[in-house]
Amino acid sequence: QSFIFQEDQVLSLLGFSRKPRPMPANEVLQEAKKLHKVGDSLEVLADQNPPIEEALTVLSGNVHNTANLLKVVVAMKMGIPAELDTVIH
């Protein structure tokens, strides 16, 4: 069985709306920056702990991906230019 969704339904399921809402972009971008630092710390720990290196490396990648996703959400919702990436990472 397949489902066909309208664009507005998909946007709603993803938490997006066509109506602009105030969003603390700088605060969210700062949290993304903190997450990148956590990911970096996990990478260092991975190098220092061979028995759990693979697990820490995977977790580090997931944390970095989450931080990047936050930046994408801010860019999509607020139209923040990609050049800000160099400022927040």
Side-chain angles (χ1 to χ4, degrees):
Q1 180 177 359
S2 64
F3 296 95
I4 298 175
F5 293 98
Q6 299 297 321
E7 182 181 0
D8 288 342
Q9 291 172 310
V10 173
L11 290 172
S12 177
L13 287 171
L14 294 173
F16 296 105
S17 170
R18 292 188 182 278
K19 298 177 186 175
R21 288 183 247 160
M23 180 187 216
N26 288 335
E27 289 85 354
V28 175
L29 293 175
Q30 287 303 315
E31 293 304 316
K33 186 175 181 177
K34 290 178 192 176
L35 282 173
H36 275 298
K37 288 181 181 180
V38 170
D40 292 343
S41 294
L42 288 170
E43 286 177 23
V44 170
L45 287 173
D47 292 339
Q48 297 171 351
N49 295 283
I52 57 172
E53 179 178 9
E54 184 178 350
L56 289 175
T57 300
V58 169
L59 290 169
S60 171
N62 288 336
V63 171
H64 281 292
N65 288 338
T66 300
N68 289 331
L69 184 57
L70 279 174
K71 292 188 285 186
V72 168
V73 168
V74 168
M76 288 176 64
K77 298 283 245 172
M78 303 291 294
I80 303 298
E83 298 86 47
L84 281 183
D85 184 58
T86 58
V87 174
I88 60 175
H89 181 67

